[in-house]
Amino acid sequence: MKERKILFTSESVSEGHPDKVCDQISDAILDACLKEDPKSHVACEVFATNNDIIIAGEITSKCKPDYKAIVKDVLKNIGYDREELGTDYHTVNVLVKVKEQSPDINQGVDKKSPEEQGAGDQGIMFGYATNETKGYMPLAISMAHKLVREATAQRKSGKFLHARPDMKSQVTIDYSDPKHIRVDTVLMSVQHDDGIDLEEFKRYIHQNIMQKVVKSFGLNSDFKYLINPTGRFVIGGPAGDTGLTGRKIIVDTYGGTAEHGGGAFSGKDPSKVDRSAAYMARYIAKNLVAAGVADRLQVQLAYAIGVAEPISIGIKTYHTAKYADDKILDIIYRLFDCRPGMIIKNFSLTKPSFKYQDLSNYGHLGRPDLDLPWEKLDKVEEIKKLLN
């Protein structure tokens, strides 16, 4: 019997993907609200199809966002700037259906101090870290993000000719020999102009994007690859597929390596623990793995609406722990304040300088291009002292 490979796959999408268009608009609206009113409560959902953008949700803020201007700016920055793309910032139609947040929720969230502030909703959130990459992120999702980030950068610089904004990537890693991890397959689907030399287009992607990215991870260049498997990808973005905020939650986190509570991030102010507690769980997991507690570690946080303290804190170490679970949990309770108001305060999540739109593409976690508070390894030495 032929021995089966041990494979794992993750995917990513570019900023031109229709769901990511919506995430960016939602987070741009959140940024506008928090810049003028740090106490804004925002839950903003965006729907995109063809040249129509619908904005809905609940927003309570002193700010009155210029929704159409925000939409136009996001689309322009992505590159949806001409009629033939089906979505064009010059002529886009914007419909706004926004109401204020329920006062029943406000009474549990709006407290006088960060110590007392309750969670904006019930829910479970997960954070994860692994020492298989320098950034303590899973290899497959890190590589998938870098592929679409590199392709987009080359498109915007003019190097990657005939590429359009909508792109997807997928990376399969072969773990059959843990001491010699290999890239098994790389897949990219890249939107392109009509009437081009498709073979030349594919050659460029393989040689100047795929090979470049895989080489940057120090891995094998003889991987299998697929490019635009249907043969043609001219119609894309909101013209090719309807977009909606919050539909890329696995792309936004760990590529399927870790569990997910189901709550999306984009368009939500940090009083929503779907967002802030997921960042906190990542912070805890990363510092613990960096301190040598385990090679892989997942943290779960659970909350009740209007209650500050987590209902529970749980861990999973995948049989890689160097210490007992109760010892690891004791360190978490002693060093990490998981109350929503304190997470917001310690991470400065409502400061006008913080830009949530920067997070809406290429993952909210393990970002080497951004200086994020939940990616800092500032608890490692304290953890080591407690271990000793």
Side-chain angles (χ1 to χ4, degrees):
M1 181 177 174
K2 185 179 179 181
E3 190 172 324
R4 296 288 184 183
K5 293 180 180 179
I6 300 172
L7 305 174
F8 187 82
T9 302
S10 293
E11 71 158 348
S12 184
V13 298
S14 72
E15 60 195 58
H17 185 279
D19 294 332
K20 278 295 156 195
V21 170
C22 296
D23 284 348
Q24 289 166 89
I25 294 170
S26 293
D27 275 338
I29 291 168
L30 172 62
D31 285 337
C33 290
L34 291 176
K35 184 176 182 180
E36 190 171 322
D37 179 7
K39 294 183 178 181
S40 297
H41 289 308
V42 179
C44 181
E45 313 291 346
V46 175
F47 176 99
T49 182
N50 294 318
N51 207 31
D52 297 305
I53 305 291
I54 301 173
I55 300 169
E58 298 76 46
I59 297 178
T60 303
S61 177
K62 295 177 183 176
C63 175
K64 303 301 177 187
D66 186 339
Y67 294 106
K68 189 160 189 175
I70 290 171
V71 169
K72 284 177 171 285
D73 185 62
V74 169
L75 293 178
K76 181 180 180 181
N77 183 61
I78 295 170
Y80 285 115
D81 54 7
R82 55 195 190 276
E83 186 179 352
E84 66 189 88
L85 296 176
T87 307
D88 182 359
Y89 82 90
H90 295 99
T91 57
V92 65
N93 305 305
V94 180
L95 176 63
V96 180
K97 294 288 185 180
V98 172
K99 58 183 183 292
E100 289 199 344
Q101 180 173 285
S102 165
D104 294 348
I105 297 175
N106 286 346
Q107 68 179 353
V109 176
D110 285 337
K111 301 293 186 181
K112 291 182 179 179
S113 69
E115 290 82 2
E116 297 174 309
Q117 181 176 327
D121 199 355
Q122 72 174 55
I124 56 175
M125 299 84 211
F126 293 91
Y128 176 83
T130 172
N131 59 14
E132 74 171 327
T133 64
K134 291 180 180 179
Y136 296 92
M137 284 289 286
L139 178 59
I141 188 66
S142 299
M143 193 174 293
H145 282 323
K146 193 167 184 179
L147 284 164
V148 283
R149 193 167 65 237
E150 175 67 27
T152 297
Q154 291 193 31
R155 172 180 66 85
K156 288 186 168 183
S157 71
K159 291 181 181 179
F160 188 10
L161 300 177
H162 307 299
R164 289 182 173 182
D166 194 358
M167 308 177 188
K168 299 180 82 171
S169 66
Q170 191 168 286
V171 175
T172 300
I173 302 296
D174 183 355
Y175 288 101
S176 302
D177 181 353
K179 294 182 178 179
H180 297 92
I181 294 169
R182 294 173 53 83
V183 180
D184 184 82
T185 307
V186 178
L187 163 64
M188 291 193 75
S189 294
V190 180
Q191 186 188 12
H192 56 81
D193 293 336
D194 201 4
I196 67 168
D197 184 335
L198 290 177
E199 290 307 311
E200 178 58 34
F201 188 71
K202 291 180 180 182
R203 266 195 301 274
Y204 185 91
I205 292 170
H206 176 242
Q207 295 173 7
N208 297 283
I209 297 171
M210 288 181 171
Q211 289 287 354
K212 179 180 179 179
V213 169
V214 172
K215 185 178 179 181
S216 72
F217 284 84
L219 293 171
N220 56 294
S221 61
D222 59 342
F223 52 85
K224 293 174 287 186
Y225 65 94
L226 294 165
I227 300 170
N228 289 10
T230 65
R232 174 182 166 89
F233 185 12
V234 173
I235 301 170
D241 191 11
T242 299
L244 190 65
T245 299
R247 279 206 301 207
K248 286 292 174 282
I249 59 175
I250 301 303
V251 170
D252 286 343
T253 52
Y254 305 100
T257 299
E259 295 167 52
H260 198 295
F265 299 159
S266 289
K268 297 178 181 177
D269 74 84
S271 72
K272 281 72 170 173
V273 284
D274 279 341
R275 180 167 218 156
S276 53
Y279 296 164
M280 184 64 186
R282 160 65 177 172
Y283 176 61
I284 296 169
K286 184 176 181 180
N287 275 269
L288 288 168
V289 170
V293 168
D295 295 331
R296 299 172 61 200
L297 191 143
Q298 177 179 278
V299 175
Q300 184 203 52
L301 302 176
Y303 293 86
I305 188 169
V307 179
E309 293 287 350
I311 295 296
S312 69
I313 299 176
I315 60 168
K316 181 188 287 188
T317 57
Y318 308 91
H319 307 291
T320 69
K322 312 300 190 294
Y323 302 88
D325 284 5
D326 62 340
K327 176 72 171 178
I328 300 170
L329 285 166
D330 182 61
I331 289 172
I332 294 173
Y333 277 101
R334 291 174 68 176
L335 292 185
F336 299 95
D337 194 335
C338 296
R339 291 173 291 178
M342 295 307 294
I343 296 172
I344 293 168
K345 179 182 177 182
N346 292 334
F347 287 166
S348 302
L349 295 180
T350 56
K351 284 195 173 182
S353 58
F354 195 93
K355 293 289 183 279
Y356 285 96
Q357 190 183 345
D358 291 344
L359 297 168
S360 54
N361 298 310
Y362 316 120
H364 292 241
L365 311 159
R367 292 289 298 272
D369 56 323
L370 299 175
D371 182 23
L372 301 175
W374 52 89
E375 294 297 325
K376 294 186 183 302
L377 295 174
D378 52 5
K379 294 288 187 181
V380 171
E381 294 307 316
E382 289 180 78
I383 292 169
K384 288 181 177 178
K385 286 179 182 178
L386 289 176
L387 291 172
N388 294 327

